[in-house]
Amino acid sequence: MPWPVTFGGGMSLSQVRSGIDVAVLRHDWRLDEVEALFALPFNDLLFRAQSVHRLFFDANEIQVSSLLSIKTGSCGEDCAYCPQSARYEANLRSEALLPLAEVLAAAAAAKQEGATRFCMGAAWRSPRDKDIERVAEMVREVKAMGMETCATLGMLTDDQTVALKQAGLDYYNHNLDTSEDFYAEIITTRTYQDRLDTLERVRDAGINVCCGGIVGMGESVSDRAKLMLQLANLPKHPESVPINMLVQVEGTPLHGVEALDPLAFVRTVAAARVMMPQSRVRLSAGRNDMSDEMQALCFLAGANSIFYGEKLLTTENPMTQRDKQLFQRLGLHLGGSRYN
Ligand code: SAM
Ligand code: DTB
Ligand code: SF4
């Protein structure tokens, strides 16, 4: 930020910032501390989150990403929340990997609306090498349009990760979804460790990490605290942290699970902001069922990114026009990533 400000000892703002980095970028959180954070009075938690937020970000700036499902449904995994699993009877039309031209048309439309990042999602447990070749082509072309690229394709091998990096992939999304303890109730077809291994490969290949989870699946506060602990204690904080509210889809095992207190969702966003101060915290799935006031609270709690566009992967997202009006009412302006 181009402020003509000097601090005590003649330090510049960036020197002060790096001092703060050392002071607040922690990777040694203890569970009791995180549980205490979640248990703070709501106003105290939000004040703390907003204070941390303002150290690293323009508090009125929001980054927007758009999603496209490039391969839909017929997935062999059993993620209990997911309409794309072949094991459940969700009302969904499966689709093979989309042709390049269709992907580029969607990216151009997203860019036109102001999205700075384009995220391509595929319903795979893990892609085949020939799938990676086609996705790499998509990544190259979307990047050439001047957008940041993101992909979420399931588990990757080392070579696949390197191929995506070489194609210019900026971010890879791979969520831990929940705490390790609760994970076994949600997914049995791959382990928590599988997920951590993929995240490590992505990190080692030099791709920015997008990793978060889902709230509202019937987990406890302690599970949410453990998820945040796991994310914040990674060797490097994920550059993007998507916090999804479960979208309950008919036909999936989690359809009908008791709805979560919306303020518990806001607390999770605030904890992510306090624990990962430099990361983009994304208010992700579930916004279609949130009031404007609830979303405003999430922004106050430190969320500074959303998915923009009328569809997530297979479920609905608010109309772009509604989001634009909300930004206007809140005085939020669109901004880019801090990493590229
Ligand atoms: N198949 C790949 C995988 O699982 O890694 C990539 C796509 S998958 C749909 C990406 C993420 O979307 C999941 O990890 C989960 O966090 C989120 N997601 C899927 N269905 C959801 C739902 N019904 N509500 C909220 N988030 C959901
Ligand atoms: C993430 O954490 N949320 C997005 C993105 N990463 C890939 C996906 C949300 C999917 C919601 C259900 C659907 O639309 O299928
Ligand atoms: Fe498949 Fe991903 Fe859905 Fe799990 S979340 S069923 S891996 S598409």
Side-chain angles (χ1 to χ4, degrees):
M1 231 178 286
W3 293 347
V5 182
T6 53
F7 293 82
M11 279 197 292
S12 68
L13 180 62
S14 66
Q15 283 167 323
V16 170
R17 279 240 170 86
S18 34
I20 292 168
D21 285 6
V22 173
V24 301
L25 288 191
R26 291 183 47 195
H27 302 268
D28 60 351
W29 288 88
R30 293 187 325 267
L31 184 57
D32 62 315
E33 285 179 291
V34 185
E35 286 181 335
L37 188 66
F38 272 80
L40 281 174
F42 190 75
N43 286 344
D44 290 348
L45 177 57
L46 259 68
F47 179 73
R48 194 159 157 197
Q50 181 62 206
S51 305
V52 169
H53 189 59
R54 283 166 187 263
L55 289 175
F56 293 101
F57 290 99
D58 170 349
N60 301 309
E61 183 231 67
I62 189 149
Q63 183 271 336
V64 298
S65 296
S66 280
L67 274 171
L68 177 70
S69 180
I70 58 171
K71 186 268 169 187
T72 306
S74 307
C75 182
E77 302 288 274
D78 69 352
C79 314
Y81 48 74
C82 188
Q84 303 204 64
S85 168
R87 298 167 192 240
Y88 314 132
E89 297 290 325
N91 185 15
L92 181 83
R93 200 157 48 89
S94 293
E95 241 180 303
L97 188 58
L98 293 181
L100 178 64
E102 223 173 291
V103 175
L104 297 185
K111 186 177 181 198
Q112 177 71 24
E113 288 293 354
T116 55
R117 194 181 305 168
F118 191 65
C119 179
M120 294 162 268
W124 287 317
R125 168 183 168 82
S126 43
R128 298 165 300 182
D129 288 347
K130 66 178 184 185
D131 297 323
I132 289 290
E133 279 173 33
R134 288 187 56 196
V135 175
E137 188 60 28
M138 294 171 188
V139 168
R140 263 191 291 276
E141 297 280 338
V142 172
K143 200 164 167 74
M145 291 168 50
M147 295 184 92
E148 291 180 336
T149 53
C150 177
T152 179
L153 317 169
M155 294 183 283
L156 298 178
T157 64
D158 283 334
D159 288 350
Q160 292 176 336
T161 318
V162 170
L164 290 171
K165 171 68 183 171
Q166 281 171 353
L169 188 70
D170 296 305
Y171 290 81
Y172 194 76
N173 166 250
H174 199 65
N175 290 337
L176 287 176
D177 279 348
T178 189
S179 70
E180 187 164 13
D181 298 342
F182 192 64
Y183 182 88
E185 303 202 19
I186 303 296
I187 298 140
T188 69
T189 47
R190 67 178 135 159
T191 65
Y192 212 69
Q193 190 58 49
D194 288 333
R195 291 191 184 240
L196 291 168
D197 291 347
T198 295
L199 290 170
E200 196 178 325
R201 279 193 189 105
V202 170
R203 187 49 93 205
D204 289 349
I207 300 172
N208 290 312
V209 171
C210 172
C211 183
I214 310 180
V215 172
M217 299 194 290
E219 76 286 342
S220 64
V221 188
S222 174
D223 288 312
R224 293 192 280 279
K226 286 177 186 162
L227 170 64
M228 289 305 138
L229 180 91
Q230 190 80 46
L231 292 169
N233 285 353
L234 286 171
K236 194 167 176 211
H237 294 165
E239 282 75 9
S240 289
V241 180
I243 310 290
N244 297 275
M245 175 74 107
L246 173 70
V247 179
Q248 296 203 14
V249 183
E250 229 176 293
T252 60
L254 290 185
H255 183 246
V257 77
E258 195 185 337
L260 182 78
D261 171 5
L263 297 184
F265 182 88
V266 180
R267 281 177 180 277
T268 311
V269 170
R273 169 51 67 225
V274 170
M275 296 171 70
M276 293 166 280
Q278 281 197 315
S279 304
R280 280 271 165 204
V281 175
R282 181 165 308 115
L283 173 53
S284 300
R287 288 196 308 113
N288 207 37
D289 298 319
M290 291 179 196
S291 67
D292 286 356
E293 293 76 10
M294 159 91 171
Q295 293 185 60
L297 270 183
C298 291
F299 299 138
L300 193 63
N304 59 353
S305 170
I306 59 161
F307 284 121
Y308 208 39
E310 283 141 34
K311 212 167 165 202
L312 290 163
L313 289 173
T314 67
T315 64
E316 285 179 12
N317 201 37
M319 304 287 277
T320 306
Q321 200 48 35
R322 179 183 155 197
D323 282 338
K324 286 185 177 163
Q325 278 166 5
L326 178 60
F327 294 166
Q328 198 168 28
R329 286 170 70 205
L330 298 175
L332 293 176
H333 57 264
L334 299 187
S337 160
R338 49 180 298 129
Y339 291 94
N340 301 82

